[in-house]
Amino acid sequence: MDATLSFDEAIEKFDPVLGFEVHVELNTATKMFSSAPNVFGDEPNTNVNEVDLGLPGVLPVVNKAAVESSILIGLALNCTIAEYCRFARKNYFYPDTPKNFQTSQYDEPIAHDGYLDVELEDGTVFRVEIERAHMEEDAGKLTHMGGATGRIQGADFSLVDYNRAGVPLVEIVTKPIEGAGARAPELAKAYVAAVREVVKNLGVSDAKMERGNVRCDANVSLRPYGREKFGTRSETKNVNSLRAVEHAVRHEIQRHAAVLDGGGTIVQETRHWHEDTKSTTSGRPKSDADDYRYFPEPDLVPITASYEWVESLRARLPEPPAERRKRLKEAWGYSDLEFRDVVNAGLMDEIEETVAAGASASVARKWWMGEIARRAKLADVDPAALGVTPAVVVELDSLIREGKINDKLAREVLDGVLAGEGTPTEVVDKRGLAVVSDDGALQAAIDQALAAQPDVADKIRGGKVQAVGAIVGGVMKVTKGQADAGRVRELILQTLGVSA
Amino acid sequence: MAAINRDDVAHLARLAHIEMTGDELDRMAGELAVIVDAVKSVSEAAGADVPATSHPIPLSNVLREDVVGHVLSQEQALSGAPDAQSGRFRVPAILEED
Amino acid sequence: MTNSELIRSSAANLATRLAAKEISAVEVTQAHLDRIAAVDGALNAFLHINTDEALSVAADVDARRAHGEDLHELAGVPIAVKDLIVTIGQPTTAGSRILDGWHSPYDATVVRKLREARMPILGKTNLDEFAMGSSTEHSAFGPTRNPWDLDRIPGGSGGGSAAAVAAFEAPLALGTDTGGSIRQPGAVTGTVGVKPTYGAVSRYGAIAMASSLDQIGPVSRTVLDSALLQEVIGGHDPFDSTSLTDPSTGLVAAARLGNVSGMKIGIIRELHGEGYQAGVENRFNESLELLKQAGAEIVEVSCPNFQYALGAYYLIMPSEASSNLAKFDGVRFGLRTLPGDGPMTIERVMGATRAAGFGDEVKRRIILGTYALSAGYYDAYYGSAQKVRTLIQQDFNAAFSQTDVLISPTAPTTAFKLGEKLDDPLAMYLNDVATIPANLAGVPGLSLPGGLADEDGLPVGIQLLAPAREDARLYRVGAVLESLLEQSWGGPLLDQAPELAGAAAGLAGTKEAK
Ligand SMILES: [Mg+2]
Ligand SMILES: [Zn+2]
């Protein structure tokens, strides 16, 4: 890189313009054009049929559910749904692309001209204009072998798994995003997060970035302030986490600024993001090899979305995420900080379900943001993926409220639930964890504890009621914690003839 | 329309991933020039108001229900592969070494 | 029946005798396998002979029939399949080195239907590589020869299927027709070939040349036999998005009805006369006379945009083909060739594979199509050609508003000599001038033998064209013309074909399954 500029210096000199192409993998049961299963993580080349492998003679047939998911995405992004659209072939040779063309949409996308309101951390709302959302198919997965890094450079050979080939994708393309200024990296992250939230909320994608369900290509260009014409852009490919999106945009702004400031010019090219070095490297420049020779896919017929069809899908749209957040925050009575923490932890759905299942909002928050989040962090998984269901939380809470267990026992019950020993009640029974509430059994323990600490007993008799804690502690020790501390206290005072 | 020359053919052969010798390029350029000359009248045949026909019999919304159908076994999938390893198709390096 | 009678029988006749248990399916199948063994060394119509499977299907048919099972009308009637159509259990080569030795793990829909009807598949027939050609000389596995004259081409691309049927190696065959590849071979071998309405027969499993033009259809010696076969292979297929939902019925009934009285038959002014061989023109006029005598009204129509058909075809077809053939790259199936020198990258392996695997005509069309689709040329070439398609459809619509069917010679000439046009691609392309309009418009076309040309004694084809989805009309008119012509000849035209040397000498089969 030429002379470096700080981010602030870069922004002071240049006006950044952003653009995003976000690919969303749909969670349909089958592929875009074949009836092979759309499943992540199976043995290589086991979720394919002849269509996915592009064997001689095969023909594609469009998945209706994928079309409907695409229309839903278009509607949620406030797009116009095309009355008539078609697939086209994008011709290029690459070993992860079985037919050596991608069946995609070109000048006739299913959805176009929409917008997405993106909320920044301080509550500012930034409207991002959507140019189009189009349907296409995913490619297979390459594993580069040999060479030191497992990267494509220096590899001796590559292995191809076509399980992902043909998975339905919706590619969402923004119009150039102007005016973000210093907040460009933050907006980039917030935009991708918002898209992710929209498709997750629609239920059309699993939206797991770590699995590549949502993948972002980030375009960055700079221009002097006040100039209308855009600068030359770079396209950073496959930036696949929210943090990386933010970092990549920040990095590219600084890189462009340094080049331009040094009197250089930006080459239009693709760039690759490297998480380890937090920087991009040059991919391949735009060249005549990018002549994709698009033409309408002759093996498929057009899709016409009737008013009735689109409206029936519109009726299925869930509440938009921003509205939902506003509603839930009010209903739960959380503070701004509490609510933002819940959102950032991705636990809104879980808390909503837990509340719906009968817990109070504060209890639900206490469990999910507390014990469950703590364990998830230890296990290095999402809290939602830990295996605790809202029903478990509700049951734990009612066991506590009924006095059957205390907080400490509840944690042990949770251990049992996570170990697959059954419901909380079943774990209590199997492990014999119920609080000792049989007064007879408790009385023996109390007598024993009082006898062990006669001086303390005297103090209590003498009116120092707060000393009762030491005796309670003794009882809890004897009962291995399985006593209801409140009841123990009552019984001690009763035994000593002291009123509370 | 510009006549098709040897450089054009070389470029097209690269796009089409067909290696060609110099002789082949020369011969192909000659043949294509004749063919292109014979078909170019097509570009003047239809006015701007004539719609294009992509499919002889117009159909629309031919869609498939999202129900899992047949799948090949890994063995079947790889049965025609020129080279395979660990359940995957094996291909030579994708980029030239730097 | 003698073996000679068995192989010269029509499929309809075999079906009747099989149903009556006068003959067995094994007997019929074996007779055809014997014939193949005797004459195919000279013809090279077959690329693969499916002896064991064909005989076992035949034996199964006989067993089921013996048990009184209700079988399909054509059960036990053997058939040959053009080697562009994929089959489990046999190689599929598309006539190309790039697929040499490849076995499909799935069946084409039409093959599945043949299996459901229990028709023994005799083997896979030769073709121009990827169906690109009009002479079957572009096969990587050597040309097929015309049974009427072994020094002449059997037409193409489906020369193998046509020659097999003409030489009594099979009563029926499947072909594919993108610009005439069923009809033109039919014309030059004295057989019947039908290109159904686009979408009437599923394309699933036919290795695509030009997706918007390709269509699978029947090859036979009689009009009725083609109708029988189209009813087997036709109908909706959910695996082909361009497949029509119309049922494939009424074709056999139309062939059996055979009545043209009161029908209007249109001569296309642009598809005869200048450029057509005199003997072709004479036979064509005779057919018109016969149809007139049978009560048809002959009118002349003009299709002025047909002059652009060949040009539009040679833009659309190579464009689609260039993309359809991109998958042949040495990664997932078929040939892989390593570059002779230099770095061993996948790009270069693909380039070397495609250089070694494809023949000249295939390369020519891929380059032409790549050119027509490339940036800056798309509108002038592919875009304009698609507009011409609209004009040609309009011409057909206007013609069919005045007529029930149209008629023309199938090809401008009779079979030319092997090698005659091999170095002149454009001259080769001109063979398809009369057949191409039907593919561009999607309408059905049938070619049937119209007699022998005076100057060379070789078969002439008569083409009938009907409006889209009116395939039945072709069979109705074709059956009438066929019967009138056969009356005038005193029997089928193929009775006049020369004996094939191998058969005449009674040579025992030497041709093994390849
Ligand atoms: Mg893109
Ligand atoms: Zn894309």
Side-chain angles (χ1 to χ4, degrees):
Chain A
M1 201 190 284
D2 302 52
T4 50
L5 284 174
S6 73
F7 181 75
D8 290 346
E9 286 167 336
I11 289 297
E12 203 169 295
K13 292 186 172 173
F14 297 102
D15 177 14
V17 177
L18 307 179
F20 300 98
E21 289 163 28
V22 174
H23 285 88
V24 176
E25 276 186 346
L26 302 179
N27 59 2
T28 49
T30 65
K31 307 267 179 95
M32 186 76 228
F33 302 116
S34 94
S35 61
N38 170 16
V39 183
F40 178 87
D42 282 356
E43 285 294 299
N45 297 303
T46 57
N47 290 327
V48 294
N49 65 28
E50 59 270 17
V51 177
D52 310 298
L53 293 177
L55 294 188
V58 299
L59 298 172
V61 186
V62 176
N63 182 341
K64 184 179 180 190
V67 175
E68 295 198 327
S69 295
S70 306
I71 294 175
L72 285 169
I73 290 174
L75 291 172
L77 296 175
N78 306 291
C79 287
T80 303
I81 304 304
E83 284 173 33
Y84 172 100
C85 71
R86 283 194 291 186
F87 285 97
R89 292 188 184 177
K90 179 182 184 179
N91 292 288
Y92 64 96
F93 284 79
Y94 210 69
D96 65 2
T97 303
K99 299 165 289 184
N100 286 326
F101 60 79
Q102 182 193 32
T103 307
S104 179
Q105 294 192 296
Y106 179 48
D107 50 357
E108 297 163 303
I110 191 156
H112 57 90
D113 294 299
Y115 62 86
L116 181 60
D117 285 333
V118 177
E119 207 176 314
L120 300 182
E121 267 198 38
D122 67 352
T124 313
V125 173
F126 199 104
R127 176 160 293 189
V128 173
E129 307 270 348
I130 305 294
E131 184 175 299
R132 56 186 283 159
H134 70 250
M135 299 182 277
E136 58 185 30
E137 58 181 335
D138 212 340
K141 220 174 170 67
L142 287 162
T143 310
H144 305 296
M145 308 294 284
T149 58
R151 284 216 199 123
I152 190 166
Q153 291 87 358
D156 296 327
F157 62 94
S158 302
L159 298 176
V160 204
D161 168 15
Y162 292 105
N163 278 349
R164 198 180 63 182
V167 167
L169 292 176
V170 172
E171 180 176 340
I172 301 163
V173 183
T174 66
K175 292 181 179 162
I177 303 166
E178 304 174 59
R183 306 194 71 171
E186 186 194 350
L187 175 63
K189 177 184 170 184
Y191 168 72
V192 177
V195 168
R196 191 175 154 263
E197 188 176 46
V198 164
V199 298
K200 199 176 169 199
N201 190 45
L202 289 170
V204 299
S205 173
D206 294 344
K208 294 193 170 103
M209 291 192 79
E210 68 276 16
R211 285 192 176 181
N213 297 146
V214 176
R215 309 196 286 266
C216 175
D217 300 343
N219 295 297
V220 171
S221 70
L222 299 187
R223 61 183 172 186
Y225 283 97
R227 199 170 82 180
E228 209 168 308
K229 194 169 171 279
F230 298 138
T232 305
R233 68 169 198 271
S234 62
E235 180 177 5
T236 306
K237 287 281 185 193
N238 285 330
V239 198
N240 291 336
S241 76
L242 294 179
R243 276 157 38 94
V245 171
E246 183 172 16
H247 289 149
V249 166
R250 171 181 287 267
H251 171 85
E252 280 297 285
I253 287 173
Q254 281 181 256
R255 187 182 67 81
H256 282 220
V259 171
L260 295 171
D261 197 45
T265 49
I266 297 293
V267 202
Q268 189 176 340
E269 62 179 356
T270 58
R271 312 262 318 165
H272 300 293
W273 172 249
H274 303 288
E275 194 61 52
D276 45 359
T277 57
K278 298 275 183 291
S279 63
T280 63
T281 54
S282 174
R284 94 197 141 67
K286 286 265 172 199
S287 73
D288 57 7
D290 290 335
D291 184 349
Y292 293 122
R293 290 157 285 136
Y294 282 102
F295 72 106
E297 166 58 90
D299 286 323
L300 291 173
V301 302
I303 293 169
T304 55
S306 68
Y307 176 82
E308 291 74 21
W309 192 17
V310 173
E311 289 314 305
S312 75
L313 289 166
R314 197 191 299 279
R316 265 167 49 186
L317 284 179
E319 185 183 21
E323 281 174 36
R324 174 166 171 246
R325 279 198 300 272
K326 202 170 153 224
R327 176 177 59 80
L328 290 178
K329 179 168 176 291
E330 275 167 26
W332 294 343
Y334 293 174
S335 71
D336 288 354
L337 184 66
E338 284 170 342
F339 191 76
R340 196 196 307 153
D341 286 348
V342 167
V343 171
N344 289 341
L347 285 169
M348 228 166 47
D349 289 350
E350 284 68 26
I351 292 180
E352 189 182 23
E353 282 170 44
T354 308
V355 171
S360 74
S362 64
V363 164
R365 195 178 70 82
K366 182 191 86 180
W367 275 100
W368 285 104
M369 296 299 290
E371 185 61 20
I372 300 170
R374 189 184 63 79
R375 287 171 186 245
K377 201 171 171 190
L378 284 175
D380 199 23
V381 295
D382 276 348
L386 193 65
V388 183
T389 64
V392 166
V393 174
V394 169
E395 203 176 330
L396 285 170
D397 178 51
S398 48
L399 287 170
I400 291 169
R401 281 192 290 111
E402 288 161 17
K404 294 210 173 103
I405 56 173
N406 54 26
D407 282 1
K408 178 172 172 290
L409 284 174
R411 289 195 284 274
E412 226 181 305
V413 174
L414 194 52
D415 290 338
V417 171
L418 290 175
E421 292 167 25
T423 65
T425 306
E426 285 164 3
V427 173
V428 166
D429 289 350
K430 280 186 202 155
R431 293 198 176 186
L433 291 175
V435 172
V436 179
S437 53
D438 169 0
D439 288 357
L442 283 181
Q443 195 61 54
I446 287 167
D447 291 347
Q448 197 185 326
L450 287 172
Q453 301 178 76
D455 47 331
V456 180
D458 285 344
K459 275 187 196 162
I460 298 168
R461 279 196 203 90
K464 290 201 79 174
V465 175
Q466 60 271 41
V468 77
I471 307 295
V472 173
V475 173
M476 295 310 274
K477 206 169 181 181
V478 172
T479 59
K480 298 192 175 74
Q482 281 177 259
D484 177 345
R487 183 65 188 148
V488 171
R489 190 172 186 279
E490 272 172 36
L491 286 173
I492 295 168
L493 297 179
Q494 207 180 305
T495 308
L496 298 174
V498 178
S499 61
Chain B
M1 233 156 286
I4 192 162
N5 61 38
R6 188 182 192 275
D7 288 347
D8 296 331
V9 175
H11 167 64
L12 295 167
R14 259 196 315 278
L15 274 181
H17 283 64
I18 301 175
E19 246 175 44
M20 280 192 194
T21 63
D23 283 355
E24 273 183 294
L25 291 174
D26 288 333
R27 187 158 44 81
M28 189 75 77
E31 287 164 351
L32 287 185
V34 174
I35 297 168
V36 169
D37 194 55
V39 301
K40 70 181 181 197
S41 67
V42 165
S43 62
E44 290 121 43
D49 54 327
V50 178
T53 294
S54 304
H55 288 92
I57 314 288
L59 298 172
S60 65
N61 290 352
V62 177
L63 305 171
R64 172 177 59 78
E65 292 300 322
D66 186 25
V67 177
V68 174
H70 92 109
V71 181
L72 295 174
S73 67
Q74 190 186 70
E75 193 189 344
Q76 284 174 311
L78 296 169
S79 63
D83 196 5
Q85 181 178 320
S86 319
R88 298 172 171 91
F89 295 84
R90 183 179 157 140
V91 297
I94 288 174
L95 287 183
E96 286 185 32
E97 298 205 27
D98 296 324
Chain C
M1 280 175 103
T2 65
N3 264 12
S4 167
E5 283 166 338
L6 285 175
I7 61 171
R8 296 181 86 93
S9 280
S10 69
N13 187 28
L14 290 174
T16 308
R17 284 161 187 276
L18 282 164
K21 296 182 198 162
E22 293 168 24
I23 53 175
S24 75
V26 167
E27 214 182 322
V28 173
T29 303
Q30 189 61 57
H32 286 96
L33 290 167
D34 290 348
R35 174 71 175 177
I36 293 168
V39 304
D40 208 60
L43 292 176
N44 196 31
F46 281 85
L47 294 178
H48 177 81
I49 301 159
N50 192 32
T51 308
D52 294 347
E53 188 191 274
L55 286 171
S56 99
V57 169
D60 178 58
V61 166
D62 290 336
R64 286 169 188 273
R65 205 161 251 140
H67 283 93
E69 205 174 298
D70 206 12
L71 297 177
H72 188 281
E73 190 177 357
L74 291 183
V77 176
I79 185 166
V81 174
K82 187 180 185 181
D83 203 23
L84 194 67
I85 300 172
V86 304
T87 46
I88 293 174
Q90 296 183 66
T92 301
T93 67
S96 180
R97 233 190 317 273
I98 210 161
L99 275 183
D100 197 5
W102 179 68
H103 280 68
S104 172
Y106 79 103
D107 269 335
T109 296
V110 290
V111 170
R112 181 173 54 74
K113 291 186 174 201
L114 297 181
R115 296 195 201 281
E116 282 165 8
R118 302 186 195 284
M119 297 173 68
I121 298 173
L122 295 167
K124 307 292 288 285
T125 58
N126 201 4
L127 67 155
D128 284 298
E129 184 177 4
F130 287 103
M132 296 183 179
S134 307
S135 67
T136 314
E137 292 166 292
H138 295 306
S139 168
F141 306 104
T144 296
R145 289 162 189 272
N146 192 322
W148 289 81
D149 177 348
L150 296 177
D151 292 332
R152 290 182 188 262
I153 60 107
S157 63
S161 282
V165 169
F168 309 105
E169 293 178 302
L172 296 170
L174 290 182
T176 67
D177 190 313
T178 305
S181 286
I182 290 175
R183 290 163 287 160
Q184 181 258 10
V188 300
T189 58
T191 55
V192 176
V194 182
K195 183 203 89 74
T197 296
Y198 182 82
V201 178
S202 167
R203 293 183 293 117
Y204 194 74
I207 298 177
M209 168 159 62
S211 308
S212 72
L213 302 165
D214 295 344
Q215 193 59 197
I216 294 175
V219 174
S220 64
R221 287 189 297 268
T222 72
V223 170
L224 174 63
D225 282 2
S226 273
L228 284 162
L229 182 52
Q230 190 175 334
E231 288 199 3
V232 173
I233 60 175
H236 181 65
D237 180 14
F239 287 93
D240 176 356
S241 305
T242 60
S243 159
L244 300 176
T245 49
D246 312 27
S248 67
T249 50
L251 308 176
V252 172
R256 291 206 160 110
L257 171 73
N259 177 349
V260 293
S261 114
M263 282 182 105
K264 275 191 173 174
I265 299 179
I267 307 170
I268 304 164
R269 191 180 300 153
E270 289 77 9
L271 293 187
H272 72 107
E274 200 196 331
Y276 288 74
Q277 193 179 317
V280 170
E281 200 66 12
N282 291 341
R283 295 294 82 78
F284 177 59
N285 288 329
E286 268 171 25
S287 286
L288 296 178
E289 201 48 49
L290 289 173
L291 287 166
K292 212 183 291 178
Q293 284 166 21
E297 187 189 339
I298 307 290
V299 297
E300 193 181 41
V301 297
S302 175
C303 294
N305 291 295
F306 281 20
Q307 63 174 308
Y308 302 116
L310 199 71
Y313 177 79
Y314 276 94
L315 288 169
I316 293 169
M317 175 272 295
S319 295
E320 294 183 5
S322 71
S323 176
N324 283 330
L325 268 62
K327 63 173 62 169
F328 299 91
D329 63 358
V331 171
R332 290 160 303 280
F333 52 83
L335 180 78
R336 174 181 289 183
T337 303
L338 304 180
D341 49 28
M344 185 71 68
T345 65
I346 184 61
E347 289 250 312
R348 298 209 55 230
V349 171
M350 287 178 176
T353 298
R354 290 162 64 79
F358 290 146
D360 288 345
E361 180 62 17
V362 173
K363 289 179 189 173
R364 219 160 14 235
R365 294 194 192 190
I366 290 175
I367 298 296
L368 179 59
T370 305
Y371 174 63
L373 288 177
S374 62
Y377 294 106
Y378 178 89
D379 288 340
Y381 289 151
Y382 192 78
S384 297
Q386 299 275 36
K387 289 182 172 188
V388 166
R389 256 180 121 149
T390 308
L391 297 178
I392 285 167
Q393 281 197 331
Q394 288 170 357
D395 280 0
F396 269 118
N397 289 343
F400 286 127
S401 72
Q402 313 160 47
T403 61
D404 297 299
V405 297
L406 299 173
I407 190 164
S408 78
T410 309
T413 68
T414 55
F416 47 89
K417 288 239 162 71
L418 285 160
E420 195 180 311
K421 299 188 181 180
L422 208 45
D423 296 327
D424 188 352
L426 211 55
M428 189 74 94
Y429 297 170
L430 283 168
N431 274 286
D432 301 329
V433 68
T435 45
I436 278 171
N439 299 83
L440 289 171
V443 305
L446 176 152
S447 178
L448 75 162
L452 303 179
D454 315 294
E455 56 272 46
D456 52 23
L458 291 168
V460 169
I462 305 295
Q463 173 178 242
L464 299 169
L465 300 166
R469 304 178 134 124
E470 296 292 347
D471 305 42
R473 285 189 207 170
L474 302 177
Y475 291 109
R476 182 174 158 185
V477 177
V480 172
L481 183 55
E482 174 183 66
S483 110
L484 295 172
L485 284 165
E486 288 190 357
Q487 276 172 41
S488 75
W489 302 326
L493 188 67
L494 281 165
D495 284 357
Q496 300 175 47
E499 279 285 316
L500 285 166
L507 287 180
T510 49
K511 185 159 178 160
E512 293 298 314
K514 300 183 206 174

